[in-house]
Amino acid sequence: MFGKVIVLIMSILSHLLIYNFIRISLVYKNKQEVDQILTYLNKYLTTTYYAPPANHSAYNSILVKPEFDYCKRSDLYKFYHPDVIMTDTYTFREAKGVIKEALRSSYYDCIPKMYHKLQNTQSFSKHVLPEQLTLPFTYYDQLIHKFKVGQASLCLFQKYNHLPSRHVLSHKDNLMNNQYKYIDSLREKGVDQECINNATFIPKTYRLFQKQDCKEFFDYLNSNEYQDKIAEEGPQFITKVGLEVHRGRGIKVLFPEETKKLQETYKNGKRCGVDHSLLVAQQYIGNPMLYNNHKIEFRIYWVLASTYPIIAYAYDKTLIRRCIAPFDKFSLNKEAHVCNTAIVKSTLKQRGSDLDMDDENADESELFIDWKLDYLQDLLLKQGKIKDKNWLQNYLYPTVDRMIIHAIKSVEGQITRDSRLAEFFAADFIMTDDLKIHIMEINYNPQTLKTTLAREKQHTKMTQDMIDIQNAYLRSKYLRFKKIIIKILAKMKKDKRSLDQVITPKIIEEINEAYKDKLDQGIKLKDDNLFRLIMDENLPGTKQYKDLIQTKCL
């Protein structure tokens, strides 16, 4: 009896093994050839489009072990399991916060125990990247600096939320420097003053690390004209540190004491060209728009959805925040001049306030104005500052979008062009009481806090809309490449030729075209997605820029 049971079990196992072999053979038909094609594509596309080499530093904030056959396995798996891309979303994030919670609540968190390693005290890796991973959405850009792109990360069938050259927009010295070079290039091309004015997106700025700018600034600082202006109008400049210093750190309003210290540091301009600190002095906007006697700023969130070609979207909902202290242009309190979450937190702490800004239940409605810009339009209509009931659509959005477009164009030659890359930015704007608009700075990885319930909901929806954009472009590209792979495979089989013999210049041209991000194959964004397209190099002529830049200005 026992022997019959053993025979039965062995028979069942044998049939299961045969069934599993047949199933795998059917699912992974032509596996060897497809693997060969995908390996070729990852190597060719990475070599052609992704220039920066991996930085094999010891620091690995996500504790993921690089595997150099990862892309080979991941892309092959997705080729034979299209639902992984076309239906599902597999992601992960190491940093805590609203974005991580939004990803976990709406998509598959494929590394659920991931966390951010604060100290570089742990050298071993705890995780590996899952083959199903489609949209890694990390806080830090480890996957492009620690990993070999095209082998261990950023595979053909993935879309990443970072790009290595983001600093050309987010570092204040770079932002100002690129603005000046951009304006100079337009002047050299002979464009008129109207074009120059429209392309100018930041206030007058002196780069103190640049000798000529530095000398001009200190000459002006020592002039009678400057002394008369500060006596009549208050502070004229703020200084900012150029590198990755955000959240109010490194900003100084040039009150008399701060001005004196700066003059001593630079010896009234004698150290210009010697002191190369990445410091900039920017014109202070002394007539800001006020809300209940407080200075306000507004933040526009936007994404570079792709860099090959450049495609950008801006978010319709806007964070409007006010300074914690009432505005007085002669006030020596930094809190009256700089509207910033970090400064608000510091001020509350100094005052011994019971308000905990990290408590999601705290009532902070007096500090953060969760307006849509429609409400700003209504306020200006009531104040009689505008008469156009479509002012938002006719003036504010076009002005904001055009400034972001020009900021992108000022660095377009410095951006890594690769359709696997994207980046999440926020541009901080200030509007004057006569309704002029300036970009104050651009940040990547902008904070998404729970300062109010409305703001938490907004950031959750914004995260979902960003994922919708990434999914749409990845899915379109996946379908394009699936057709190409099947075409190459058919040629190899029919003509009995090797891959090298099948890859002709015409096929290369098709590969390059398929690698360009675009929405096709019947893929589109969800109807309730609140991001609006502001730039798409796929479109012809001025339509690339929503007709916000005239032909004569290009």
Side-chain angles (χ1 to χ4, degrees), residues 24 46 49 115 163 170 180 304 308 330 398 445 461 463 549:
I24 291 173
T46 299
Y49 294 98
Y115 66 93
L163 65 148
S170 63
Y180 278 89
L304 263 180
Y308 182 67
F330 294 102
N445 266 346
K461 176 70 168 70
T463 301
I549 303 179

Side-chain angles (χ1 to χ4, degrees), residues 81-104:
H81 298 86
D83 284 357
V84 171
I85 289 180
M86 298 306 298
T87 304
D88 302 324
T89 300
Y90 289 86
T91 185
F92 76 89
R93 187 172 179 85
E94 79 281 28
K96 296 187 297 182
V98 175
I99 290 180
K100 183 166 186 170
E101 291 171 13
L103 294 175
R104 282 188 160 184

